[in-house]
Amino acid sequence: MAVDGVDGSGKPVFADQLAGVLREQTRPVVRASVDDFHHPRVQRYRRGRSSPSGFWLDSFDYDRLRHDLLDPLGPAGSRRYRTAVHDLDTDQHLDLPWVVGPPGVVPVLDGLFLHRDELHDLWELSVFLDVPFDVTAARMAARDGSNPDPHHPSMRRYVDAQRTYFKSCPPAKRADLVIDNSDWDRPALQADR
């Protein structure tokens, strides 16, 4: 299962809650984040530290995401998986031990760009959290200290990359469910899309 949305849309919290519901139904869950499958810094910033195309094209190692997590936990997979290959804070490669999940294990992954062409056909269920950039930028400012204005030049890398994503792989059309998560306390299913 995938929980997609722009930076600041609430993906980790929503995915944790989804995983909790599944566990309450006695389903075994592997909770993971695409943030643990970043490319090393040198590759992420090879087009420049403020490049939107660099953020869109170079941020994540989708080959390792598939190889180490998604394919093993897919319908014909071995269930032998890893939930991380890179430590973003230290910029170090991780070589975690392989874990074997139980039969029927459900991966719940949160992250950006999860409806890309390379990934969108992998999900049993996918969610897109639809939140306007003015709301997400304010949340990011509170969380990270970034500028709260989505039009500020320092936000261009993120906002423009996500707009590129919307144009090339419209997640609101590809997702099984679209949820307006503008109000943390009142997420709302969008019926008309």
Side-chain angles (χ1 to χ4, degrees):
M1 296 185 175
V3 178
D4 187 7
V6 302
D7 282 311
S9 60
K11 299 177 298 295
V13 171
F14 192 93
D16 287 345
Q17 292 170 342
L18 177 60
V21 169
L22 291 168
R23 288 182 181 118
E24 286 172 5
Q25 297 173 357
T26 68
R27 295 290 306 269
V29 174
V30 170
R31 181 67 183 86
S33 176
V34 76
D35 282 343
D36 295 317
F37 290 86
H38 270 93
H39 279 298
R41 193 173 294 128
V42 67
Q43 185 167 350
R44 292 196 317 272
Y45 296 123
R46 66 184 175 170
R47 297 170 206 262
R49 291 190 66 87
S50 61
S51 169
S53 63
F55 188 60
W56 164 236
L57 297 172
D58 301 326
S59 289
F60 301 106
D61 188 341
Y62 297 112
D63 291 337
R64 291 294 305 274
L65 176 65
R66 285 196 68 150
H67 178 268
D68 288 31
L69 181 69
L70 299 178
D71 290 343
L73 296 180
S78 66
R79 299 191 328 266
R80 184 178 178 266
Y81 69 92
R82 293 194 264 211
T83 58
V85 299
H86 184 263
D87 184 308
L88 191 59
D89 293 331
T90 64
D91 197 38
Q92 297 297 309
H93 168 75
L94 298 175
D95 189 18
L96 299 178
W98 292 92
V99 177
V100 177
V105 66
V106 178
V108 176
L109 181 74
D110 76 81
L112 297 165
F113 310 141
L114 296 183
H115 290 92
R116 292 176 66 106
D117 292 342
E118 308 95 302
L119 302 175
H120 84 277
D121 63 340
L122 298 176
W123 313 120
E124 182 179 329
L125 175 74
S126 68
V127 175
F128 179 70
L129 300 179
D130 188 19
V131 183
F133 285 119
D134 61 329
V135 174
T136 61
R139 289 177 181 173
M140 290 172 62
R143 181 187 71 196
D144 305 328
S146 56
N147 194 293
D149 179 2
H151 304 289
H152 190 272
S154 65
M155 297 295 287
R156 182 176 156 266
R157 173 177 170 85
Y158 309 103
V159 173
D160 287 358
Q162 291 164 116
R163 286 185 175 131
T164 298
Y165 173 48
F166 294 167
K167 284 176 83 171
S168 58
C169 313
K173 291 185 179 176
R174 290 184 172 187
D176 297 305
L177 301 171
V178 177
I179 297 179
D180 180 342
N181 203 35
S182 301
D183 182 340
W184 294 116
D185 298 322
R186 291 186 181 90
L189 180 64
Q190 293 182 356
D192 301 325
R193 12 182 210 132

